[in-house]
Amino acid sequence: EVQLLESGGGLGQPGGSLRLSCAATGFTLNNFAMSWVRQAPGKGLEWVSFISGTGGITYYAGPVKGRFTISRDTSKNTLYLQMNSLRAGDTALYYCAKDRFSSAAAAGSFDSWGQGTLVVVSS
Amino acid sequence: DIQMTQSPSSLSASVGDRVTITCRASQNIGTSLNWYQQRPGRAPSLLIHGTFSLQSGVPSRFSGSGSGTDFTLTISSLQPEDFATYYCQQSYSTPAWTFGQGTKVEIK
């Protein structure tokens, strides 16, 4: 059974940093692409970042480009999101989501989701 | 970015009703359209991918149709567990994937 468990959320200062983790079980990160998707309180879903199954391709949404970095540790089967230069607009529940495919060309549909970790950016 | 617009934003329906939700893309996305269900306090779950294909384990009362810019999610006979928010999402424009604003299905 596929399971995704996010952690690392909390209160972050504007301009500060947080690192989110997503521990995956039931499948191998090497075989599937992964994304982070966020949901601001009471709002809809926003795709944030992507990493391919090989780890060689990463993408970012415009609002986070240059501030967030997606990575993974295949020995731990864990996905990360390093969040720097935090802004109030980054306040959201952050989900990690498993893609149906490994490659970037076929990616973009998310068949398993974690329960999310809440990030609040406030002074 | 491709804009996805859902209608209605919310609807009230009774158990057993046939429910239709529409999603419109700001440009042609072929059939690269996915639907997700999000129950209150829960993570989203994939219902339909590639406009028509039911995700494994999803009841057959859910179906999808459309192509190009106009898409539809239909629930043939609404069940109590279907009261949730539904999101469409385009996977055409890699990597700028975008979601609709959501349609909340409430109990009448």
Side-chain angles (χ1 to χ4, degrees), chain A residues 86-119:
Chain A
L86 286 168
R87 304 170 179 168
D90 297 323
T91 294
L93 186 62
Y94 283 75
Y95 295 103
C96 65
K98 172 186 165 291
D99 205 284
R100 293 175 56 240
F101 298 103
S102 172
S103 72
S109 55
F110 314 118
D111 63 358
S112 293
W113 298 62
Q115 287 307 301
T117 187
L118 182 63
V119 171

Side-chain angles (χ1 to χ4, degrees), chain A residues 14-57:
Chain A
S17 299
L18 285 173
R19 188 177 84 153
L20 308 184
S21 300
C22 171
T25 56
F27 72 102
T28 301
L29 290 184
N30 278 327
N31 292 334
F32 293 93
M34 297 290 293
S35 281
W36 288 95
V37 178
R38 68 185 180 184
Q39 187 170 35
K43 301 298 184 182
L45 300 167
E46 179 186 23
W47 169 79
V48 172
S49 184
F50 164 92
I51 188 166
S52 65
T54 64
I57 296 175

Side-chain angles (χ1 to χ4, degrees), chain A residues 54-103:
Chain A
T54 64
I57 296 175
T58 58
Y59 297 134
Y60 299 92
V64 309
K65 194 173 294 185
R67 300 188 298 121
F68 289 9
T69 302
I70 191 171
S71 64
R72 65 190 195 168
D73 184 336
T74 54
S75 69
K76 296 181 179 178
N77 217 37
T78 298
L79 179 73
Y80 302 101
L81 186 69
Q82 178 67 41
M83 308 168 65
N84 297 333
S85 302
L86 286 168
R87 304 170 179 168
D90 297 323
T91 294
L93 186 62
Y94 283 75
Y95 295 103
C96 65
K98 172 186 165 291
D99 205 284
R100 293 175 56 240
F101 298 103
S102 172
S103 72

Side-chain angles (χ1 to χ4, degrees), chain A residues 39 43-45 47 50 59 95 100 107-111 113-114, chain B residues 34 36 38 42-44 46 49 55 87 89 91 94-95 97 99:
Chain A
Q39 187 170 35
K43 301 298 184 182
L45 300 167
W47 169 79
F50 164 92
Y59 297 134
Y95 295 103
R100 293 175 56 240
S109 55
F110 314 118
D111 63 358
W113 298 62
Chain B
N34 310 302
Y36 299 86
Q38 187 175 32
R42 303 288 296 275
L46 180 63
H49 56 87
Q55 176 68 3
Y87 294 93
Q89 175 241 336
S91 51
T94 300
W97 302 307
F99 293 84

